[in-house]
Amino acid sequence: MAFARTCAVALVGVEGVVVEVQADLEPGVAAFSLVGLADKSLSESRDRVRAAVINSGAEWPQKKLTVGLSPAAVPKCGSGFDLAVACAVLAAAERIDPRAIADLMMIGELALDGRVRPVRGVLPAVLTAADAGYRQVVVPEQAAAEAALVPDVSVLGVRSLRQLIALLADEPVPDEPSTGDPGPGGPRVALGPGWGFPQPAGLYCAAGVGQAVPDLSDVSGQRLARRALEVAAAGRHHLLFKGPPGAGKTMLAERLPGLLPPLTHQESLEVTAVHSVSGSLPAGRPLIDRPPYCAPHHSASMASLVGGGTGVPRPGAMSLAHHGVLFIDEAAEMNSQVLDALRQPLESGHVVVARAAGAMRMPARVLLVLAANPCPCGRHGAPGGECECLPATVRRYRARLSGPLLDRIDLRVMVEPVSRAELVASGGGGESTAVVAERVLAARERAAARYGAAPWSANGEVPGHELRSRWAPLPGALARAEQDMDRGLLTARGLDRVLRVAWTVADLVGHDRPTAEDVDAALELRTGVRRGAGVAGSLP
C-alpha cells in the first residue's frame, strides 16, 4: 500500500476549514474514487487531474486509487482542490517524495494540459492556513501577489503542474509560457523565506495600485449636505439624502469614499478577502487599500444585496462594501422587504445566510447612504414644482422607507436644488476632498484616542449606554433632545444616535465634550429642524 497526504482549504464565505487531502494506492482494478462530501465541480476533478498529470509528462498509476478529503463531514466545493489532489496522487505513486508535500498547503485548479489556473478566495484560504500553523503555500501564479499579503507565509506561485513536480523532485524547472499579466508595473519579487528553491522564470508576486475618487470641490452649493457628508465620514454615521431629481444626491454620495481614512492593514485584508471570494478582485491590485464603494441598482434582489443565492452562497453588495460605502439610489423604489433586510446587519456588522447545509457568515460593516425623491414625480414641495401626485400616493411612496429602518439612519438631510447663482459662481465648489478629509482624519484620531482599548474606533459604533455613562456630554447639553423624546419625536435609539452625532460634531470642532450647540447640530442633522445656531454655527 502507498499513501501520501497534503492539505487544502474549504471555504464557507470568508471562513475556511483546513482539509487534509489523502491519496491511497492499492493493488486491484484501476479505478479512481473521490470521497469526502464533494460537490459536482469537485467530483469532476478526477478527470481534470488525470488529464493534467498525463499531459505534464508524469505516469498515471494503474491501481485502485482512493482520494479522501478529511474532515469528511465538511461540505467541499469548487475546483481549488485540483492541485492538492494531483500532488497527493503523484506522491503516493512515488513520483515525488511524500514528505515534501506533507506540510504544504496547495490551492489551485488544473487545466487539462497541466496549467494551474486561479480560483476564488485565495486570500481567505491562505489566512486560514496561516492560522492553522502552515507556513508554505502553493498557489497559481496569478494569485501569488494576493497570497503574499498574509505575513509570515512563504508563497510559491506556479504556472503549471510540470513546474511544481520539478521543484518538489529537485529537478530542473521548465520555463513555461506566461498564463496571465501580473498587472501594470507589477514588480517581480523573490519567493518568501523558507522555500530553499531558486526562482525560475514565471514564479513571482505583483504589487497593487490605488484608485481615484471624484473630488468634493466639484459640488456647487449644498452647504448643509456637504457638512452632513463630513459628519458621516468622521463618525461612520448612516445618511439619508432627500430631495428632487438633479439636486446632487448621487454626486454627493459618490464623493463620500474620498473623505474616509485609508483602510488599516487588517481592514484591507478583510475587504480584499470578501472581494476575492466573490471573484471581483481587480486585476493587478491584490490589496484593496481604499474604502470600497458599492451602488446596487434599486431593482436588486435580496440575495444580491445581503448575500446568498442558490447553491454556494455568495457575498452580496453589503459585504462587498465592507469598511466602505453602500449607496442605494432611488431607495423608495426598492422593494421594502429588501430594504428592511438591512436592519439587522446595520446593527451587528455582519450578515448570516442560513441554508440547509449550514450557515455562511459574511462581514458587512458599512456606511449606508440612501437617496430618495420626495414623491414618485420628484417635484413635491419644490417651488414651482407642480407636483401631480395625490396625497395618498405621496404617503405610500414615503412609507416604503420603514420607520425601523429610518430609526437606524443618524443623518437625514434635505438636498435642495442648486440656484443659478451657485452653479455659475466662480470657485463656488467649496473645499476640496483633501481639505475635508484632513478634518475627518483628525476627528477619527481624537475619537480613537478617547476610546483607547475599547472595541470601538468611531462614534457611530459606540453603544448608547456607554456614551451616557462613561462619555457623557456636558450637563444640560441633552435638554432639547430629551424634550423631543418626551414629545414622541425621538425614540430611545434615536436619542442614542443624536448623542453619537453630537460627539462627532464635538470631535470636528475640537470640543472635549459635546455642548448644547453640538447637540443642536446633531438634532438638525437628524430631524431637519434647525435648533439654535444649527449646523452652520457648530461646524467649521
Side-chain angles (χ1 to χ4, degrees):
M1 181 182 72
F3 176 84
R5 66 178 181 85
T6 187
C7 292
V9 175
L11 286 177
V12 181
V14 295
E15 299 176 353
V17 177
V18 174
V19 174
E20 188 174 277
V21 181
Q22 307 163 348
D24 176 72
L25 284 174
E26 296 181 356
V29 178
F32 187 176
S33 299
L34 181 65
V35 297
L37 209 58
D39 73 340
K40 179 67 174 176
S41 61
L42 179 51
S43 297
E44 292 174 348
S45 69
R46 293 175 297 182
D47 299 319
R48 291 194 301 269
V49 168
R50 185 178 185 277
V53 168
I54 294 174
N55 290 326
S56 297
E59 183 180 351
W60 184 259
Q62 298 300 316
K63 296 182 179 181
K64 182 181 178 181
L65 170 63
T66 302
V67 173
L69 307 176
S70 178
V74 176
K76 304 163 191 74
C77 60
S79 57
F81 294 84
D82 288 3
L83 197 58
V85 171
C87 288
V89 171
L90 290 172
E94 299 182 350
R95 173 63 179 85
I96 56 180
D97 187 352
R99 294 172 297 179
I101 66 170
D103 296 324
L104 291 185
M105 181 67 65
M106 299 189 181
I107 305 162
E109 175 187 330
L110 286 176
L112 298 184
D113 60 356
R115 287 176 293 121
V116 181
R117 299 176 57 83
V119 294
R120 295 177 176 179
V122 168
L123 177 58
V126 177
L127 287 170
T128 299
D131 291 340
Y134 291 87
R135 292 295 173 260
Q136 295 179 327
V137 298
V138 180
V139 299
E141 175 193 56
Q142 299 97 318
E146 181 183 344
L149 297 173
V150 182
D152 302 324
V153 173
S154 297
V155 177
L156 174 62
V158 294
R159 291 180 179 175
S160 68
L161 180 61
R162 186 182 295 105
Q163 275 190 341
L164 182 57
I165 294 173
L167 281 167
L168 295 175
D170 196 19
E171 299 171 355
V173 179
D175 186 6
E176 300 282 1
S178 176
T179 57
D181 185 2
R188 272 63 170 173
V189 298
L191 297 175
W195 276 104
F197 297 138
Q199 183 186 2
L203 306 181
Y204 61 88
C205 297
V209 296
Q211 63 185 52
V213 294
D215 199 277
L216 190 59
S217 61
D218 299 335
V219 180
S220 299
Q222 303 297 0
R223 177 178 173 82
L224 180 61
R226 291 167 60 96
R227 293 296 181 249
L229 277 184
E230 183 175 344
V231 172
R236 293 191 63 86
H237 301 291
H238 306 308
L239 175 62
L240 168 63
F241 282 137
K242 300 176 290 184
K249 302 185 294 295
T250 302
M251 188 177 187
L252 286 161
E254 289 174 345
R255 281 146 181 80
L256 180 55
L259 302 181
L260 299 176
L263 300 177
T264 65
H265 182 68
Q266 181 60 36
E267 291 172 344
S268 294
L269 290 179
E270 293 176 9
V271 173
T272 304
V274 175
H275 285 256
S276 176
V277 168
S278 70
S280 60
L281 194 63
R285 193 174 73 217
L287 182 66
I288 299 177
D289 55 0
R290 294 292 307 174
Y293 174 81
C294 192
H297 193 261
H298 64 264
S299 63
S301 65
M302 187 176 298
S304 67
L305 187 61
V306 300
T310 58
V312 180
R314 294 295 183 192
M318 200 165 191
S319 294
L320 294 175
H322 182 52
H323 288 311
V325 177
L326 175 64
F327 175 55
I328 300 179
D329 200 2
E330 305 293 348
E333 300 288 349
M334 180 171 277
N335 185 292
S336 58
Q337 291 183 343
V338 175
L339 274 179
D340 284 340
L342 301 177
R343 287 155 50 181
Q344 182 269 335
L346 289 178
E347 294 286 340
S348 63
H350 62 266
V351 172
V352 178
V353 179
R355 292 290 182 268
M360 178 191 74
R361 186 179 185 273
M362 298 293 297
R365 191 166 298 280
V366 302
L367 178 51
L368 177 65
V369 180
L370 303 177
N373 295 330
C375 67
C377 75
R379 298 190 295 270
H380 183 79
E386 299 180 356
C387 176
E388 299 177 354
C389 302
L390 297 174
T393 303
V394 176
R395 286 195 300 270
R396 285 195 300 269
Y397 186 80
R398 295 181 177 180
R400 294 181 182 178
L401 300 179
S402 66
L405 176 62
L406 290 178
D407 205 32
R408 290 167 168 81
I409 306 298
D410 298 354
L411 313 175
R412 309 172 193 173
V413 177
M414 179 62 69
V415 182
E416 303 290 350
V418 180
S419 66
R420 181 181 61 84
E422 291 174 324
L423 192 61
V424 301
S426 176
E431 295 175 316
S432 66
T433 293
V435 173
V436 179
E438 288 182 4
R439 291 201 298 266
V440 168
L441 181 60
R444 285 283 189 100
E445 292 173 346
R446 178 185 288 267
R450 177 170 62 251
Y451 300 129
W456 317 291
S457 59
N459 296 317
E461 304 169 352
V462 185
H465 68 274
E466 296 285 351
L467 291 179
R468 292 192 300 272
S469 57
R470 297 174 59 183
W471 297 288
L474 290 174
L478 286 174
R480 282 196 174 115
E482 292 169 350
Q483 292 173 4
D484 284 358
M485 186 176 178
D486 291 339
R487 292 197 293 263
L489 301 178
L490 279 180
T491 64
R493 182 193 288 122
L495 181 64
D496 288 344
R497 293 185 177 274
V498 167
L499 184 52
R500 293 176 183 175
V501 176
W503 265 110
T504 301
V505 174
D507 288 336
L508 285 169
V509 298
H511 293 163
D512 293 332
R513 296 169 66 185
T515 64
E517 290 76 16
D518 298 332
V519 175
D520 287 345
L523 282 170
E524 180 183 354
L525 289 171
R526 182 172 181 84
T527 64
V529 179
R530 184 168 181 176
R531 319 293 178 92
V535 178
S538 299
L539 292 177

